[in-house]
Amino acid sequence: MPTYDLKPEISIKDYQDAWNGYEKIKSILPFTGEKKVIAIECYPGVDLEELENQLLEALPHASLVCSDDYAYDAETVTKKIQRTLTDDRVFGVMSHYTLDEFFPKAELKKIQQKIARFDGMTVIYGTGATIIASTPDVLIYADLTRWEIQCRLEVDVPTGKRTTLLKTRFENLNGDISLNGGWLIA
């Protein structure tokens, strides 16, 4: 009989080191003028504005590419996933979409060609950064806990408005938000 793994882990190939916090990450980033591609892959819900202010401002000479700018818009995503949306606010339906399905192939090709022409450092950041740059010179994973996402989604009951800074591609939430398996479902 199989047992539940209370401490699951994933082995990472070519692992060199891990750092925690903006100051530590800034201290190890390559600030030279040589051509480098840095991908900051973000878990959905990571505050990109905070990332820009706390980390990316320290790289004034880098070319910045936000993956959100190359992903499908909210309306297109909603149409794409319509068949998996349900009224079940807790369990819903498990979908088998992969992240690359939310990026138009033509847009990916254009930005990848543009990045290849950039000189110096290029930083691609956001959810899907590694869809745009699948083999970066440096890979950073920006994560946050499910608890943090839930705290960011707290709703002020009297007004029905979200009281936090969570940025999302889904503009028409109207306070109707749930978490399903760690994913933001609108």
Side-chain angles (χ1 to χ4, degrees), residues 69-84:
D69 296 340
Y70 299 92
Y72 286 122
D73 62 31
E75 185 178 336
T76 304
V77 170
T78 300
K79 285 178 185 174
K80 185 177 194 61
I81 66 171
Q82 189 65 47
R83 67 182 173 83
T84 63

Side-chain angles (χ1 to χ4, degrees), residues 41-61:
E41 183 65 56
C42 299
Y43 188 82
V46 166
D47 187 341
L48 296 183
E49 189 174 312
E50 177 185 324
L51 185 66
E52 291 163 352
N53 293 333
Q54 295 295 322
L55 183 62
L56 301 180
E57 281 186 0
L59 305 169
H61 302 293

Side-chain angles (χ1 to χ4, degrees), residues 4 9 25 83 154 165 181:
Y4 184 75
E9 59 183 64
I25 293 169
R83 67 182 173 83
E154 289 178 359
L165 301 174

Side-chain angles (χ1 to χ4, degrees), residues 7-25:
K7 295 183 180 181
E9 59 183 64
I10 297 172
S11 214
I12 301 173
K13 295 177 185 173
D14 300 325
Y15 166 80
Q16 292 177 354
D17 212 342
W19 301 274
N20 185 14
Y22 293 116
E23 294 307 314
K24 187 66 176 173
I25 293 169

Side-chain angles (χ1 to χ4, degrees), residues 122-141:
T122 302
V123 179
I124 300 108
Y125 65 101
T127 303
T130 54
I131 300 297
I132 295 172
S134 60
T135 56
D137 297 303
V138 177
L139 173 61
I140 298 172
Y141 183 63

Side-chain angles (χ1 to χ4, degrees), residues 1-183:
M1 173 180 237
T3 59
Y4 184 75
D5 186 353
L6 295 175
K7 295 183 180 181
E9 59 183 64
I10 297 172
S11 214
I12 301 173
K13 295 177 185 173
D14 300 325
Y15 166 80
Q16 292 177 354
D17 212 342
W19 301 274
N20 185 14
Y22 293 116
E23 294 307 314
K24 187 66 176 173
I25 293 169
K26 284 191 275 192
S27 74
I28 58 94
L29 284 178
F31 287 95
T32 64
E34 67 183 275
K35 186 173 177 73
K36 286 247 189 241
V37 175
I38 298 172
I40 305 175
E41 183 65 56
C42 299
Y43 188 82
V46 166
D47 187 341
L48 296 183
E49 189 174 312
E50 177 185 324
L51 185 66
E52 291 163 352
N53 293 333
Q54 295 295 322
L55 183 62
L56 301 180
E57 281 186 0
L59 305 169
H61 302 293
S63 298
L64 302 178
V65 175
C66 180
S67 62
D68 281 357
D69 296 340
Y70 299 92
Y72 286 122
D73 62 31
E75 185 178 336
T76 304
V77 170
T78 300
K79 285 178 185 174
K80 185 177 194 61
I81 66 171
Q82 189 65 47
R83 67 182 173 83
T84 63
L85 298 177
T86 72
D87 292 333
D88 189 328
R89 306 299 291 156
V90 178
F91 296 105
V93 172
M94 178 68 76
S95 77
H96 297 281
Y97 292 107
T98 56
L99 192 54
D100 63 307
E101 294 177 75
F102 296 94
F103 290 83
K105 303 289 185 243
E107 291 298 312
L108 282 177
K109 188 174 182 178
K110 278 189 227 174
I111 190 57
Q112 289 165 341
Q113 289 171 344
K114 190 175 178 181
I115 290 168
R117 292 189 303 268
F118 286 155
D119 289 326
M121 184 187 305
T122 302
V123 179
I124 300 108
Y125 65 101
T127 303
T130 54
I131 300 297
I132 295 172
S134 60
T135 56
D137 297 303
V138 177
L139 173 61
I140 298 172
Y141 183 63
D143 195 9
L144 76 161
T145 64
R146 183 178 172 144
W147 173 251
E148 177 64 21
I149 294 172
Q150 287 173 305
C151 289
R152 292 179 183 193
L153 292 173
E154 289 178 359
V155 175
D156 182 348
V157 176
T159 66
K161 294 185 178 181
R162 287 178 286 140
T163 59
T164 61
L165 301 174
L166 181 67
K167 305 284 188 221
T168 178
R169 294 195 58 76
F170 299 95
E171 292 87 9
N172 300 316
L173 294 177
N174 298 324
D176 187 22
I177 303 169
S178 73
L179 283 173
N180 188 342
W183 291 94

